Amino acid sequence: MSEPATPEASADADADTDATGRTDTDEQAAQRHEAATRVPGTGADAVVASLEAAGVETAFGVQGGAIMPVYDALSASTVDHITMAHEQGAVHAADAYGIVRGDPGVCMATSGPGATNLVTGIADASMDSDAMLALTGQVPSTMVGSDAFQETDTVGVTAPITKHNYFASDSDDVGRTVGEAFALANTGRPGPTLVDLPKDVTFGETDRPVGEPTPPKRSVPDPEADEEQVEAAARAIEQAERPLCLFGGGVIKGDATEEARAFAREFGIPVVTTMPGIGSFPEDDDLCLSWAGMHGTGYANMAITHTDCLIAVGTRFDDRLTGGVDTFAPEAEVVHVDIDPAEISKNVHADYPVVGDAATVIDQLDAAIGYAEAPDPEEWRAQCAEWREEYPMDYAIDADEPVRPEFVVEAFDAASDDDAYVTTGVGQHQMWAAQYWTYRHPRTFVSSHGLGTMGYGLPAAIGARIAADDDRQVISFEGDGSFLMTIQELSVAVRENLDITVVVLNNEYIGMVRQWQDAFFEGNHMASDYDWMPEFDTLAEAFGAKGFRIDDYDDVEDAVEGALAYDGPSVVDAHIDPEANVYPMVASGAANGLFALSEDQL
Amino acid sequence: MSREAERNEAAEETQDATTDGGTTHPAESPLTERARPADEEKPTTGLSGPRPEERPHPTGRRDEHGVRKEPDHGPEPTRRATVSALVEDEPGVLARAAGLFRRRQFNIESLTVGPTTVEGHSRITLVVEETEAGIDQAKKQLAKLTPVIAVGELSDDAVAAELVLLKVRGQEPDKVHAITSMYDGQTLDAGPRTITVQITGDENQIDDAIDAFHQFGIIEMARTGQTALERGDSPTTPGEEPGHSADDTEDDEFTNYDD
Ligand SMILES: Cc1ncc(C[n+]2csc(CCOP(=O)(O)OP(=O)(O)O)c2C)c(N)n1
């Protein structure tokens, strides 16, 4: 490692903008500078100083033997620590915090089981390109490799699911390493990083200031795309008769929603998003066809099947989006904009690769499209509108039947603010929350996409709540199965008195599994029937939260109003139609255009 | 009360409420935008709209790499590529590279690693047999690893060499010696029962030598796998210059991915 920056040298650095491009108030910048230049004392002090220098306000974690020195140092720090009930809660909370803030979330755990409990959430963050820093305790260096008490090869275990990870081996370097890991997490394509902290390294003495957090130089990609690539892509877009924008999570992560929206509107190009891209384009806009893929709307899937020019920004063409690659947008020339060159032509061949930062590249594209040649695909828009009429996202309700889950989602949407945050578990409820809620803003749909982690919703709601401004609502849609996986975090929500509303779409099944069993396993409900579910409203009260219950349509209004009005954590146990299934559905590996509208079409 | 019974009772209550006219139909509730009352025409489960076979479907297709293709497109051909990666010499870098290839199931023929002229840098040389798209991905994925400085693919006329140690039966020392000399090899150990020789050369030479030694009975063999450098003035990985020391190597000179 190079020598620490001298105080003068770091003072020269632009104090208003950190390595991750975030802007601070003068006071925050001064605080961070103070932390960067402070003489630490121990390795643990350096770790904490490094977090402060990075502007970290909150960390989520669970104590333990190997991480104790860091916690000890944290007690005298400006960084708030939220003790979670389980490390999985800590990592999902940090993940969601990072999504909402646009800055890496930080989670901490002790060695061994603490670290392994983080693994699911790190993998989750990795699949969704979420910036996150995980700090794990480790047994003293001298005992590493001896199968000591609570030892796990954390660096080995997490290597494939982190953007990069570090084993700290020196008290003098540990602070800089943490800074580098933090900055790296948010550089280029975001992702989780991890620093493993042996106890002797955090206990050891050091007098070396940590400096500003800086990513390794080589990892900072050029935001601007090659002019030739841009020109070629611009010509292709001009030629298109049926252009379609496909906005992925990268548009949100890259803070490119403004540019993306302006681009689509300027040329009147219809927009579909991926599921992680929900919120990149307002879903109540006429150009927006919502999201495409396995449970995306019929009209989005029709549009993606028939486009002749797909302008894909910040998406990795996940198989839940593409279905079978052979039939994916089969007539489209693909313009693929991504900051990560390894995504180009990984799953779907890019006819026009454009490597660069989403916001910068969209502006470049916009400038390169000649106004005389600019597309205005009126007929295509009319066709898309027609599909919207043909494949409505509606549902039939009968007052005598159990409550439809879609109705519950819409009821909460109608009663809450336009900029509320929604988090989810994984399963049918996640799909209904994505389909029947109208998202208008980036970062408002916080969900587990790539890994599909049940149990994500509640800890994510906690992280989002802590990250969000107080006046914005946080609502978590849960399945009964998903909720039960991390329900212990309700204790944290109560302790911190967090104003969140958990809506359990309770079907007494792990419903998504049951839906697949109905479709592909002749209705054999092996291990998917969860009729032993607790009374979630009563259970919520036992935790000290407020419980509500929905059994029929008459209960909906009171529960919605009561839960949203309650200032603290509330849980709505919504007993929904246990047989309700999610449609449309593209069978895995099938063509997007073959989406089923009901079970007999599968 | 069982959950089932409770549910039934709840349903009955709803019925009561609707029959005595106390409830408006939820579809008319101002809360919901898209719900419609159930009726006979529309399906009660699932959504309405043209059935899959009634929809227009394009005829185009893509191949397994997502490239638009002609209908009778055959399987992708594979080729052999030698990839060289200049890496930061830190613990675990080889494991990271190897792990990456294992996970993505790239077909690796050999993987070697060793120091370079620059202190703190190592070179990983990989031989892969993959489709064009596979080779491209292998290079890009390798370049993504944080400790990787630069990645290059070697041209066909690059200099490549491998070393093999062969332990053969010692009954015919003269013949063994003759073949060893033929391949410019060296005898490293000769005893009454075994002779161990070392041969270096490109992959074909090594294969030929092994064939030639088979007549004596090969007892044990160790091959290192190929290592390679670009010929002449061409750098082996982009931006790489000969004879630098770590101090005067500016990180900026290196690109992180192959161009
Ligand atoms: C940790 C984990 N285990 C298993 C699965 C597989 N899985 C996907 S969806 C699902 C059912 C989810 O059930 P529930 O949370 O009750 O939601 P519902 O589908 O009923 O809305 C399961 C088991 C998963 N995604 N994550």
Side-chain angles (χ1 to χ4, degrees):
Chain A
M1 287 242 163
S2 52
E3 280 301 301
T6 58
E8 296 90 301
S10 13
D12 280 344
D14 184 357
D16 292 326
T17 313
D18 74 354
T20 62
R22 179 201 35 207
T23 46
D24 280 346
T25 63
D26 288 352
E27 196 191 326
Q28 283 168 323
Q31 231 172 42
R32 295 172 51 221
H33 179 69
E34 193 273 316
T37 51
R38 188 197 314 148
V39 175
T42 64
D45 291 334
V47 169
V48 170
S50 189
L51 295 179
E52 290 173 353
V56 173
E57 288 174 21
T58 308
F60 302 85
V62 178
Q63 260 279 25
I67 194 83
M68 272 166 76
V70 180
Y71 269 93
D72 194 55
L74 206 56
S75 65
S77 159
T78 57
V79 178
D80 273 342
H81 178 266
I82 309 282
T83 300
M84 301 294 288
H86 187 290
E87 287 86 356
Q88 191 186 350
V91 64
H92 293 326
D95 181 279
Y97 181 95
I99 292 171
V100 168
R101 281 283 173 104
D103 248 355
V106 177
C107 60
M108 303 171 49
T110 193
S111 65
T116 55
N117 276 348
L118 291 181
V119 167
T120 302
I122 295 172
D124 189 291
S126 170
M127 291 287 269
D128 289 348
S129 307
D130 294 336
M132 187 168 82
L133 171 65
L135 299 176
T136 49
Q138 184 55 279
V139 301
S141 311
T142 48
M143 291 170 80
V144 165
S146 71
D147 293 336
F149 178 64
Q150 296 195 328
E151 185 195 349
T152 298
D153 174 12
T154 305
V155 164
V157 167
T158 59
I161 53 169
T162 46
K163 187 168 168 182
H164 189 53
N165 62 15
Y166 301 79
F167 181 85
S169 53
D170 187 334
S171 308
D172 279 341
D173 286 340
V174 67
R176 304 208 133 239
T177 305
V178 168
E180 178 175 313
F182 182 90
L184 179 63
N186 217 19
T187 303
R189 177 185 184 162
T193 58
L194 178 144
V195 186
D196 204 25
L197 303 163
K199 204 168 179 177
D200 55 329
V201 171
T202 47
F203 255 138
E205 286 179 11
T206 177
D207 55 6
R208 214 199 263 193
V210 297
E212 307 279 339
T214 25
K217 240 184 184 176
R218 274 193 314 277
S219 315
V220 186
D222 189 353
E224 247 175 63
D226 179 84
E227 265 313 313
E228 268 176 46
Q229 289 187 335
V230 171
E231 285 297 327
R235 297 296 84 79
I237 297 168
E238 287 167 359
Q239 301 300 311
E241 287 174 10
R242 305 186 300 279
L244 183 68
C245 288
L246 172 66
F247 293 153
V251 172
I252 297 173
K253 306 268 145 77
D255 285 328
T257 47
E258 230 173 90
E259 290 80 359
R261 290 169 181 205
F263 181 85
R265 284 175 180 149
E266 172 152 21
F267 303 112
I269 301 174
V271 176
V272 302
T273 73
T274 66
M275 227 175 95
I278 287 176
S280 57
F281 204 81
E283 293 191 316
D284 54 355
D285 189 298
D286 280 348
L287 278 178
C288 190
L289 302 169
S290 290
W291 51 285
M294 183 173 275
H295 291 295
T297 63
Y299 33 99
N301 281 321
M302 287 305 278
I304 221 161
T305 304
H306 291 275
T307 172
D308 66 351
C309 180
L310 190 64
I311 307 155
V313 187
T315 170
R316 60 187 177 85
F317 292 105
D318 179 83
D319 53 271
R320 291 279 141 136
L321 167 76
T322 61
V325 171
D326 58 330
T327 49
F328 178 73
E331 297 187 337
E333 301 237 272
V334 175
V335 174
H336 190 181
V337 177
D338 209 290
I339 189 84
D340 180 356
E343 281 309 325
I344 305 287
S345 299
K346 188 181 81 180
N347 295 333
V348 170
H349 177 76
D351 302 286
Y352 301 95
V354 199
V355 178
D357 162 68
T360 313
V361 171
I362 293 173
D363 279 345
Q364 282 181 285
L365 273 176
D366 189 88
I369 292 177
Y371 277 82
E373 293 85 30
D376 184 21
E378 221 182 301
E379 261 177 59
W380 169 239
R381 277 198 303 271
Q383 173 64 74
C384 291
E386 206 172 294
W387 283 325
R388 195 202 291 272
E389 295 294 311
E390 271 184 325
Y391 302 100
M393 291 298 292
D394 66 0
Y395 51 94
I397 55 178
D398 185 331
D400 297 345
E401 298 286 327
V403 177
R404 295 287 308 192
E406 300 93 331
F407 186 88
V408 179
V409 173
E410 287 198 324
F412 272 96
D413 187 11
S416 59
D417 300 335
D418 281 355
D419 62 359
Y421 293 97
V422 171
T423 76
T424 76
V426 167
Q428 294 180 312
H429 62 281
Q430 175 189 30
M431 298 304 147
W432 288 314
Q435 290 176 333
Y436 288 91
W437 188 282
T438 305
Y439 297 90
R440 295 169 175 87
H441 301 283
R443 305 185 185 278
T444 52
F445 181 59
V446 183
S447 192
S448 168
H449 302 280
L451 198 67
T453 309
M454 287 171 72
Y456 181 83
L458 173 59
I462 292 174
R465 175 72 282 158
I466 289 166
D469 290 340
D470 284 347
D471 58 353
R472 292 181 69 170
Q473 293 164 318
V474 176
I475 294 153
S476 178
F477 286 99
E478 291 282 359
D480 41 349
S482 289
F483 190 37
L484 213 52
M485 285 205 177
T486 50
I487 196 167
Q488 68 278 8
E489 303 304 338
L490 210 45
S491 63
V492 176
V494 170
R495 188 195 68 219
E496 302 284 326
N497 192 31
L498 301 178
D499 188 11
I500 57 177
T501 303
V502 179
V503 185
V504 189
L505 298 180
N506 187 348
N507 51 9
E508 295 188 22
Y509 278 111
I510 45 171
M512 189 57 97
V513 169
R514 197 225 48 234
Q515 173 163 353
W516 284 53
Q517 287 171 330
D518 287 345
F520 309 113
F521 291 89
E522 283 131 28
N524 178 16
H525 293 170
M526 171 66 189
S528 62
D529 196 341
Y530 275 34
D531 57 4
W532 37 266
M533 277 293 138
E535 307 278 338
F536 288 114
D537 50 338
T538 321
L539 193 56
E541 300 274 346
F543 272 105
K546 185 101 180 118
F548 298 87
R549 183 174 166 120
I550 294 174
D551 283 306
D552 53 51
Y553 286 105
D554 285 343
D555 302 333
V556 174
E557 202 171 330
D558 283 350
V560 169
E561 278 173 12
L564 289 178
Y566 182 70
D567 183 21
S570 55
V571 174
V572 181
D573 190 3
H575 289 258
I576 56 159
D577 180 354
E579 308 304 328
N581 280 343
V582 183
Y583 294 103
M585 175 174 181
V586 180
S588 31
N592 288 45
L594 287 175
F595 53 88
L597 296 167
S598 58
E599 191 178 315
D600 63 322
Q601 293 181 2
L602 273 172
Chain B
M1 187 176 351
S2 80
R3 310 287 290 173
E4 190 63 24
E6 208 172 311
R7 211 155 44 207
N8 289 342
E9 195 181 75
E12 270 161 35
E13 272 168 26
T14 319
Q15 211 145 20
D16 293 346
T18 33
T19 43
D20 61 40
T23 325
T24 50
H25 193 285
E28 276 126 44
S29 149
L31 284 180
T32 180
E33 291 163 10
R34 288 173 282 208
R36 56 182 154 78
D39 61 30
E40 279 95 69
E41 275 166 50
K42 300 247 177 114
T44 48
T45 64
L47 300 166
S48 52
R51 300 176 56 81
E53 62 278 10
E54 294 162 3
R55 299 172 203 152
H57 295 287
T59 51
R61 287 291 177 269
R62 292 179 186 272
D63 67 13
E64 68 269 33
H65 303 297
V67 185
R68 274 172 303 145
K69 64 175 183 185
E70 299 303 316
D72 56 354
H73 179 97
E76 268 317 278
T78 60
R79 77 176 168 88
R80 228 156 167 257
T82 307
V83 175
S84 188
L86 197 60
V87 304
E88 218 85 67
D89 187 13
E90 57 182 49
V93 58
L94 188 61
R96 278 177 215 272
L100 183 130
F101 286 103
R102 173 193 50 73
R103 180 163 97 82
R104 293 184 187 254
Q105 310 202 330
F106 287 116
N107 203 349
I108 304 190
E109 312 240 314
S110 82
L111 188 158
T112 63
V113 62
T116 70
T117 52
V118 179
E119 204 185 312
H121 288 179
S122 292
R123 181 186 310 285
I124 295 179
T125 309
L126 271 155
V127 181
V128 289
E129 169 96 42
E130 277 291 331
T131 61
E132 209 52 60
I135 292 167
D136 197 42
Q137 260 303 303
K139 289 190 289 186
K140 286 172 169 174
Q141 291 296 339
L142 199 54
K144 258 180 91 159
L145 296 176
T146 301
V148 172
I149 299 160
V151 176
E153 181 182 341
L154 280 81
S155 56
D156 285 343
D157 72 339
V159 186
E162 182 174 0
L163 183 152
V164 64
L165 298 182
L166 290 157
K167 189 188 284 178
V168 298
R169 301 206 184 281
Q171 278 94 336
E172 299 171 286
D174 292 351
K175 274 173 93 177
V176 171
H177 185 69
I179 292 189
T180 308
S181 319
M182 210 171 95
Y183 285 97
D184 281 338
Q186 283 167 288
T187 305
L188 301 180
D189 177 52
R193 279 180 300 280
T194 68
I195 300 172
T196 303
V197 302
Q198 161 192 315
I199 313 282
T200 52
D202 71 20
E203 202 190 9
N204 289 336
Q205 287 168 318
I206 301 273
D207 286 344
D208 290 350
I210 292 170
D211 276 351
F213 280 99
H214 262 304
Q215 58 181 300
F216 312 114
I218 298 174
I219 305 164
E220 282 176 349
M221 172 168 94
R223 281 179 84 150
T224 59
Q226 251 190 77
T227 189
L229 287 180
E230 203 55 81
R231 215 171 268 278
D233 282 338
S234 322
T236 296
T237 66
E240 187 176 359
E241 281 174 40
H244 265 298
S245 73
D247 297 337
D248 53 26
T249 302
E250 252 292 298
D251 269 324
D252 281 351
E253 287 172 31
F254 300 113
T255 33
N256 203 6
Y257 47 89
D258 195 15
D259 44 8

